[in-house]
Amino acid sequence: MVDKITFMETLRFVQEIAKASAEPMSKEEIQSYFQDMDLSEEQQDMIYQYLQMPEENAREEQAVNNKEQEKLAAERKSGRRKEKKEASYSAHFRMYLKEISAVPSLDKTQERVLYERLLAGEEEAIEDLSGQWLKRVIELAEKYTAPKAFLEDLVQEGNISLLMGMRELLGKGSEYGITGGSQGKLQEDKQKQLEQKLETFVAEGIKSYRRELEGERDSENAILAKVSLVYEARKALAQENGTVPTLTELCEYTKISPEEISDILALHETEEHK
């Protein structure tokens, strides 16, 4: 009986190799990774059909995504899109959205006064002013969502960056033309500059978090690529020399350090003995 966990891990591993390969993998190459599994011929054919044409799979996925986008565009007019999006959020985040939707909006004069208090150095203004920015943080976060970057996490990062940005502006009235302490008046053009700076704080915080996630994914892909290269080198050298290649031979062939190759081989042996 095929171990489902091992099968899925192997399938994902071979899928990464197929994506990175310049040429489609042959049926024999694909089967070599599953040779220790008791698979029927029909199952082997299904695996081959699934893995041999990654570009076609990508096009199919894109077509599905395009249809989904068209569907979402139609739903936007009737308001169903918002309901479906929110249905996928956690209960905590849905409650958060409900709470901030109930925050009353201030008029331009009230908002300007809060900015003036912030620039005058009043920390109490941060809490009142941040409430007016929470919806804007969500709007900014929505621009950077991705499969690994969930809106809830991006909003959290954006809110943290917002507070940091406001603290950065605390007491900086002279930089925005206010020289009369708490009685100074913030001009419209200076207010726009201030708001743009806060937006930059929020956006940079969100983008930084997104880059961290993408960096983790790139690191995972790089590790998989090295593992694949070592396995392929081991097989090629064994066929060429008729013996199991030494660590030195693998290093020369792959240009990977002995320490990394040792770790990869040790991991492989561990998996074999499970």
Side-chain angles (χ1 to χ4, degrees):
M1 183 176 178
V2 180
D3 183 280
K4 290 184 179 180
I5 296 177
T6 303
F7 174 78
M8 291 305 299
E9 289 178 348
T10 305
L11 185 61
R12 284 193 291 268
F13 174 72
V14 179
Q15 188 177 26
E16 289 296 330
I17 296 175
K19 288 180 180 178
S21 178
E23 299 292 335
M25 296 178 69
S26 68
K27 191 172 184 178
E28 290 70 27
E29 286 178 310
I30 293 173
Q31 288 177 341
S32 67
Y33 290 96
F34 298 87
Q35 61 185 357
D36 295 329
M37 300 181 192
D38 186 21
L39 300 177
S40 67
E41 187 171 339
E42 182 180 357
Q43 289 173 320
Q44 293 177 12
D45 288 337
M46 288 176 64
I47 293 170
Y48 176 63
Q49 292 298 325
Y50 177 73
L51 294 172
Q52 69 171 339
M53 293 181 290
E55 291 184 2
E56 181 176 324
N57 291 335
R59 287 196 296 271
E60 290 177 357
E61 290 178 5
Q62 185 61 49
V64 171
N65 288 337
N66 290 340
K67 289 181 180 179
E68 184 65 18
Q69 289 300 320
E70 293 173 1
K71 184 178 178 181
L72 290 174
E75 290 179 346
R76 190 182 296 115
K77 294 180 180 180
S78 63
R80 292 197 300 270
R81 181 189 181 196
K82 182 179 179 181
E83 294 176 4
K84 288 193 174 183
K85 281 177 62 178
E86 293 190 2
S88 65
Y89 300 150
S90 69
H92 173 77
F93 192 58
R94 289 199 300 272
M95 184 180 296
Y96 171 79
L97 293 175
K98 185 176 181 180
E99 288 175 354
I100 67 171
S101 67
V103 175
S105 298
L106 302 179
D107 60 33
K108 290 185 178 180
T109 301
Q110 291 172 317
E111 198 170 56
R112 175 176 57 78
V113 170
L114 283 178
Y115 284 127
E116 289 171 352
R117 290 173 54 198
L118 176 73
L119 293 172
E122 294 185 36
E123 289 196 26
E124 294 79 3
I126 292 179
E127 183 176 352
D128 295 332
L129 191 55
S130 62
Q132 298 299 305
W133 269 81
L134 296 180
K135 294 177 184 177
R136 202 177 310 187
V137 170
I138 293 176
E139 292 174 0
L140 290 169
E142 285 178 333
K143 298 178 181 179
Y144 299 98
T145 56
K148 287 189 70 176
F150 299 113
L151 180 62
E152 301 180 40
D153 297 328
L154 296 178
V155 168
Q156 182 177 353
E157 293 297 321
N159 286 341
I160 292 172
S161 299
L162 172 66
L163 293 177
M164 291 176 63
M166 288 186 176
R167 290 200 166 276
E168 181 77 16
L169 295 170
L170 195 64
K172 299 290 180 67
S174 60
E175 297 181 13
Y176 292 89
I178 296 180
T179 56
S182 60
Q183 301 301 314
K185 299 297 181 183
L186 180 65
Q187 299 300 313
E188 186 176 348
D189 61 332
K190 294 296 184 180
Q191 181 172 328
K192 287 182 179 179
Q193 290 179 18
L194 186 152
E195 290 175 336
Q196 287 173 355
K197 188 162 187 175
L198 282 176
E199 280 198 3
T200 300
F201 266 107
V202 173
E204 287 301 317
I206 291 171
K207 287 190 286 186
S208 176
Y209 176 73
R210 171 83 181 267
R211 285 193 294 269
E212 287 180 13
L213 293 178
E214 291 174 343
E216 290 175 5
R217 184 174 182 180
D218 290 342
S219 177
E220 291 172 0
N221 290 340
I223 292 172
L224 284 172
K226 285 185 179 181
V227 170
S228 173
L229 180 58
V230 170
Y231 287 167
E232 292 300 322
R234 196 181 187 189
K235 184 166 60 176
L237 290 171
Q239 291 176 348
E240 181 180 334
N241 302 327
T243 58
V244 176
T246 64
L247 183 62
T248 301
E249 289 173 331
L250 287 172
C251 291
E252 292 176 352
Y253 191 96
T254 63
K255 308 304 180 186
I256 299 176
S257 69
E259 293 78 11
E260 287 184 285
I261 291 179
S262 296
D263 289 341
I264 291 171
L265 295 178
L267 179 63
H268 180 63
E269 291 174 0
T270 301
E271 291 295 328
E272 284 185 336
H273 288 87
K274 281 186 178 179

